[in-house]
Amino acid sequence: MEQYFKNKRFAIVISLCCMMLWGSALPVIKTTYRVMSVASDDVGAKLLVAGVRFFLGGLLALGYYALLNRGKPMQKPDWKYILMLGLLQTSFQYIFYYMGLANTLGVKAAVIQASNAFFIVIISALVIKGDGLTVRRLLSLAIGTGGIVVANFRSGSFSGFQMTGEGFLLLAALFGALATVFVAKYGKGKDAFFAGGMQFFLGSLPLIVMGLALCRQWPQVNASGVVLLLYGAFISATAFPLWSMVLRYQSSGEFGVYRLFIPVFGALFSVLFLKERFTVEILAGMVLVLLGSFILNLPGKKKKES
């Protein structure tokens, strides 16, 4: 499997598949809240649902690990790595994300989420040898982020800033970026499915505890909600380990730019499944993100990857 992920074209396809899965999470989460009667301002109930989703995702990822490693001796776990990853990727990122989302317009949230790609590129340049900033990466980021802004533009939607809203979303994006770079720097040699499963399992516990403490009304358990939670678990258990394997063999500074596709896929799936309106702004934003990706992959002098 190693030779596939070392192939840049294959790694790009896998990365886009991961972004598509994460993008599909947006309408899935919205629909889950609706069918489980979670109020828009009930942060505790949202944290509880998220915690259960990641808990199930952890179990599924560990199931993948058991299936792929039948008959093989178990690799000695690096618990420090797993615990740190669980805190960054799952606990801190999503605690701040859901708390910030409750105090921010969805339009602004999508744009702020795109800052994750900027954080990844900058942090990678600072901490990973040979993964410095390049004009091409910065240009690709600028054009792609411009696309996210255009796709989500609404008159008057970008005024105002509050720490418990936009500030928390920026912190969530920062923690997500730190998790990506952490995997790229320290994840080599780690089994992506075992580490991913355990970090989801451990990282979900603070979400569940906070959700139970802050929940104003219990989410309604029903068949549709369970199916959506299971699909959300599938997204986490599948996308994160595959993304970790990409980062093991490719540059996090370069591939971090593909995170810009998450809100694009999110907008498309929202149009398809939530019947939201497909606008000229969304089309223009998609074109700009694709243009940024094209610029990133223009042929040029080969550089040593991290």
Coordinates of all heavy atoms in Angstrom, one line a residue, residues 101-138:
L101 N -19.8 28.0 16.5 CA -20.8 27.9 15.5 C -22.2 28.4 16.1 O -23.0 29.0 15.3 CB -21.0 26.4 15.0 CG -21.7 26.2 13.7 CD1 -21.0 26.9 12.5 CD2 -21.8 24.7 13.4
A102 N -22.4 28.2 17.4 CA -23.6 28.6 18.0 C -23.7 30.2 18.0 O -24.8 30.7 18.2 CB -23.7 28.1 19.4
N103 N -22.6 30.9 17.9 CA -22.6 32.3 18.0 C -22.1 33.0 16.7 O -21.7 34.1 16.7 CB -21.7 32.8 19.1 CG -22.1 32.2 20.5 OD1 -23.3 32.5 20.9 ND2 -21.3 31.5 21.1
T104 N -22.2 32.3 15.6 CA -21.7 32.8 14.3 C -22.6 32.4 13.2 O -23.2 31.3 13.2 CB -20.3 32.2 14.0 OG1 -19.4 32.4 15.1 CG2 -19.7 33.0 12.8
L105 N -22.8 33.3 12.2 CA -23.6 32.9 11.0 C -22.9 31.8 10.2 O -21.6 31.7 10.2 CB -23.7 34.1 10.1 CG -24.5 35.3 10.5 CD1 -24.4 36.5 9.6 CD2 -26.0 34.9 10.6
G106 N -23.7 30.9 9.7 CA -23.1 29.8 8.9 C -22.3 30.2 7.8 O -21.3 29.6 7.4
V107 N -22.6 31.3 7.2 CA -21.9 31.9 6.0 C -20.4 32.2 6.5 O -19.5 31.9 5.8 CB -22.6 33.1 5.5 CG1 -21.7 33.8 4.4 CG2 -23.9 32.7 4.9
K108 N -20.3 32.9 7.6 CA -19.0 33.3 8.1 C -18.2 32.1 8.5 O -17.0 32.0 8.4 CB -19.2 34.3 9.2 CG -19.8 35.6 8.9 CD -20.1 36.5 10.1 CE -18.9 37.1 10.7 NZ -19.2 38.0 11.7
A109 N -18.9 31.1 9.1 CA -18.3 29.9 9.6 C -17.5 29.1 8.5 O -16.4 28.7 8.6 CB -19.3 29.0 10.3
A110 N -18.2 29.1 7.3 CA -17.6 28.4 6.2 C -16.3 29.1 5.7 O -15.3 28.4 5.4 CB -18.6 28.3 5.0
V111 N -16.3 30.4 5.7 CA -15.1 31.1 5.3 C -14.0 31.0 6.3 O -12.8 30.8 6.0 CB -15.5 32.6 5.1 CG1 -14.2 33.4 4.8 CG2 -16.5 32.8 4.0
I112 N -14.4 31.1 7.6 CA -13.4 31.0 8.7 C -12.7 29.6 8.7 O -11.5 29.4 8.9 CB -14.0 31.3 10.1 CG1 -14.4 32.8 10.1 CG2 -13.0 31.0 11.2 CD1 -15.2 33.2 11.4
Q113 N -13.6 28.6 8.4 CA -13.1 27.2 8.3 C -12.0 27.0 7.3 O -11.1 26.2 7.4 CB -14.2 26.2 8.0 CG -13.9 24.8 8.1 CD -15.0 23.9 7.8 OE1 -15.9 24.2 6.9 NE2 -15.1 22.7 8.4
A114 N -12.1 27.8 6.2 CA -11.1 27.8 5.1 C -9.7 28.2 5.6 O -8.7 27.9 5.0 CB -11.5 28.6 4.0
S115 N -9.6 29.0 6.8 CA -8.4 29.4 7.3 C -7.5 28.2 7.8 O -6.3 28.4 7.9 CB -8.6 30.4 8.4 OG -9.2 29.8 9.6
N116 N -8.1 27.1 7.9 CA -7.4 25.9 8.3 C -6.3 25.6 7.3 O -5.2 25.2 7.7 CB -8.4 24.7 8.4 CG -7.7 23.4 8.6 OD1 -7.3 22.7 7.7 ND2 -7.7 23.0 9.9
A117 N -6.5 25.8 6.0 CA -5.5 25.5 5.0 C -4.3 26.5 5.2 O -3.2 26.1 5.1 CB -6.1 25.7 3.6
F118 N -4.6 27.8 5.5 CA -3.5 28.7 5.7 C -2.7 28.3 6.9 O -1.5 28.3 6.9 CB -4.1 30.1 6.0 CG -4.3 31.0 4.7 CD1 -5.5 31.2 4.2 CD2 -3.1 31.5 4.1 CE1 -5.6 32.0 3.1 CE2 -3.3 32.2 2.9 CZ -4.5 32.5 2.4
F119 N -3.3 28.0 8.0 CA -2.6 27.5 9.2 C -1.7 26.3 8.9 O -0.6 26.3 9.4 CB -3.6 27.2 10.3 CG -4.3 28.4 11.0 CD1 -5.6 28.4 11.3 CD2 -3.6 29.5 11.3 CE1 -6.3 29.4 11.9 CE2 -4.2 30.6 11.9 CZ -5.5 30.6 12.2
I120 N -2.2 25.4 8.1 CA -1.5 24.2 7.8 C -0.2 24.5 7.1 O 0.9 24.1 7.4 CB -2.3 23.2 7.0 CG1 -3.4 22.6 7.9 CG2 -1.4 22.0 6.5 CD1 -4.4 21.7 7.1
V121 N -0.3 25.3 6.0 CA 0.8 25.7 5.2 C 1.9 26.5 6.0 O 3.1 26.2 6.0 CB 0.4 26.6 4.0 CG1 1.6 27.1 3.3 CG2 -0.5 25.7 3.1
I122 N 1.4 27.4 6.9 CA 2.3 28.2 7.7 C 3.0 27.4 8.7 O 4.2 27.5 8.9 CB 1.6 29.5 8.3 CG1 1.1 30.4 7.2 CG2 2.5 30.2 9.3 CD1 0.2 31.5 7.6
I123 N 2.2 26.6 9.5 CA 2.8 25.8 10.6 C 3.8 24.8 10.0 O 4.8 24.5 10.6 CB 1.7 25.1 11.4 CG1 0.9 26.2 12.1 CG2 2.3 24.2 12.5 CD1 -0.4 25.6 12.8
S124 N 3.4 24.2 8.9 CA 4.3 23.2 8.2 C 5.7 23.8 7.9 O 6.7 23.2 8.1 CB 3.7 22.6 6.9 OG 2.5 21.9 7.2
A125 N 5.6 25.1 7.4 CA 6.8 25.8 7.0 C 7.7 26.0 8.2 O 8.9 26.0 8.1 CB 6.5 27.1 6.3
L126 N 7.1 26.2 9.4 CA 7.8 26.5 10.6 C 8.4 25.3 11.3 O 9.5 25.4 11.8 CB 6.9 27.2 11.6 CG 6.4 28.6 11.2 CD1 5.4 29.2 12.2 CD2 7.6 29.6 11.1
V127 N 7.7 24.1 11.2 CA 8.2 23.0 12.0 C 8.6 21.8 11.2 O 9.2 20.9 11.8 CB 7.0 22.6 13.0 CG1 6.6 23.7 13.8 CG2 5.8 22.0 12.2
I128 N 8.4 21.7 9.9 CA 8.8 20.6 9.1 C 9.9 21.0 8.2 O 9.7 21.8 7.3 CB 7.6 20.0 8.4 CG1 6.6 19.4 9.4 CG2 8.1 18.8 7.5 CD1 5.4 18.8 8.7
K129 N 11.0 20.4 8.3 CA 12.2 20.7 7.5 C 11.9 20.4 6.0 O 11.4 19.3 5.7 CB 13.4 19.9 8.0 CG 14.7 20.2 7.3 CD 15.9 19.4 7.8 CE 17.2 19.8 7.1 NZ 18.3 19.0 7.7
G130 N 12.3 21.3 5.1 CA 12.1 21.1 3.7 C 10.7 21.3 3.2 O 10.3 21.0 2.1
D131 N 9.8 21.9 4.1 CA 8.4 22.1 3.7 C 8.0 23.6 3.8 O 7.0 24.0 4.3 CB 7.5 21.3 4.7 CG 6.1 20.9 4.0 OD1 6.0 21.1 2.8 OD2 5.3 20.4 4.7
G132 N 8.9 24.4 3.2 CA 8.8 25.8 3.4 C 7.7 26.4 2.4 O 7.2 25.7 1.6
L133 N 7.5 27.7 2.7 CA 6.5 28.4 1.8 C 7.0 28.6 0.4 O 8.2 28.8 0.2 CB 6.2 29.8 2.5 CG 5.5 29.8 3.8 CD1 5.5 31.2 4.3 CD2 4.1 29.2 3.7
T134 N 6.2 28.5 -0.5 CA 6.5 28.8 -1.9 C 5.5 29.7 -2.5 O 4.4 29.8 -2.0 CB 6.5 27.5 -2.8 OG1 5.2 27.0 -2.9 CG2 7.5 26.4 -2.2
V135 N 5.9 30.5 -3.5 CA 5.0 31.4 -4.2 C 3.8 30.6 -4.7 O 2.6 31.1 -4.6 CB 5.7 32.1 -5.4 CG1 4.7 33.0 -6.1 CG2 6.8 33.0 -4.8
R136 N 4.0 29.5 -5.3 CA 2.9 28.7 -5.9 C 1.9 28.3 -4.8 O 0.7 28.4 -5.0 CB 3.4 27.4 -6.5 CG 2.4 26.6 -7.2 CD 3.0 25.4 -7.9 NE 3.9 25.8 -9.0 CZ 4.5 24.9 -9.7 NH1 4.4 23.6 -9.6 NH2 5.4 25.4 -10.7
R137 N 2.3 27.8 -3.6 CA 1.4 27.5 -2.6 C 0.6 28.7 -2.1 O -0.6 28.6 -1.8 CB 2.2 26.8 -1.4 CG 2.7 25.4 -1.7 CD 3.5 24.9 -0.5 NE 4.2 23.7 -0.9 CZ 5.0 23.0 -0.1 NH1 5.1 23.4 1.2 NH2 5.6 21.9 -0.5
L138 N 1.3 29.8 -1.9 CA 0.6 31.0 -1.4 C -0.4 31.5 -2.4 O -1.5 31.9 -2.0 CB 1.6 32.1 -1.0 CG 2.5 31.8 0.2 CD1 3.6 32.9 0.3 CD2 1.7 31.7 1.4

